[in-house]
């Protein structure tokens, strides 16, 4: 009986020991205090990418606009400096009003000459004198001797290796010291306008300057 009891006691102790080892493993696995079997910290998926994202294009500052000189006709730098002789002077409001009035008198006369195909300087001068204007004359030094009207041939131009003067006539009428009427009539068209005088050409736009 004692041998049997001892054997039974030994079996009971062994069973208790084995039961305690199995529970501890399960508890360790459930607690999360240790890593899963076969896993290492380096094998975990990172929360953020391991390489930095590619940056977008760096914003660039737009180039500054090219300088445009005030009053330049085509935006070219220094237009006024290089072509000042071709820029008419300013008119006062009162002078401009008077010049526009004279331009309105001249326009229908030039239209009639153009329709009659009379655009030579002599015919144009005669028609302007009939409006009451007086032809302007100058002395040898270029000083005015009186009168306000000038009628000239068209400006010559270079064509096929030589200078030619087109048919037609130009008109310059000095209305005030700061106001003119300029006009022309030729085979293709005619035009009348009010403007200030030119620095070197009076009422006529000069072809060249100094």
């Amino acid at each position: 009986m004692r041998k049997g009891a001892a054997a039974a006691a030994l079996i009971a102790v062994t069973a208790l020991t084995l039961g305690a080892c199995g529970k501890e493993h399960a508890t360790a696995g459930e607690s999360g205090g240790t890593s899963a079997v076969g896993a290492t910290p380096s094998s975990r998926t990172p929360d953020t990418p391991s390489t930095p994202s590619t940056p977008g294009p760096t914003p660039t500052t737009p180039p500054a606009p090219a300088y445009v000189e005030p009053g330049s006709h085509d935006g070219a730098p220094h237009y006024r400096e290089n072509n000042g002789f071709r820029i008419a002077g300013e008119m006062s409001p009162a002078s401009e009003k008077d010049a526009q009035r004279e331009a309105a008198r001249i326009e229908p006369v030039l239209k009639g000459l153009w329709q009659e195909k009379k655009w030579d300087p002599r015919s144009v001068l005669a028609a302007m004198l009939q409006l009451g204007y007086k032809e302007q004359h100058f002395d040898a030094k270029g000083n005015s001797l009186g009168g306000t009207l000038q009628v000239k041939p068209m400006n010559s131009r270079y064509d096929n290796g030589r200078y030619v003067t087109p048919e037609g006539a130009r008109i310059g009428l000095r209305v005030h010291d700061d106001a003119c009427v300029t006009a022309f009539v030729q085979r293709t068209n005619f035009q009348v306008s009010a403007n200030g005088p030119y620095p070197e050409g009076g009422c006529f736009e000069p072809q060249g300057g100094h």
Side-chain angles (χ1 to χ4, degrees), residues 72-151:
S72 63
H73 289 202
D74 56 0
H78 309 297
Y79 178 89
R80 294 186 66 88
E81 179 182 343
N82 298 331
N83 298 274
F85 65 94
R86 288 179 175 168
I87 300 176
E90 296 291 334
M91 294 184 288
S92 68
S95 294
E96 183 177 4
K97 183 178 180 180
D98 289 345
Q100 293 286 1
R101 183 179 62 248
E102 297 303 324
R105 293 185 66 210
I106 292 173
E107 183 174 9
V109 176
L110 290 190
K111 181 178 181 180
L113 291 170
W114 181 71
Q115 291 174 337
E116 295 173 8
K117 299 182 180 181
K118 294 180 179 179
W119 40 70
D120 61 282
R122 180 176 296 181
S123 297
V124 173
L125 175 60
M128 293 297 101
L129 294 177
Q130 289 179 3
L131 290 176
Y133 304 124
K134 293 183 178 181
E135 187 176 6
Q136 188 174 22
H137 297 280
F138 301 88
D139 62 18
K141 295 183 179 180
N143 299 315
S144 177
L145 298 176
T148 58
L149 172 71
Q150 294 184 69
V151 177

Side-chain angles (χ1 to χ4, degrees), residues 37-64:
V37 178
T40 61
S42 61
S43 66
R44 297 178 61 191
T45 303
D47 296 333
T48 57
S50 59
T51 57
S53 60
T54 303
T58 303
T60 57
T61 303

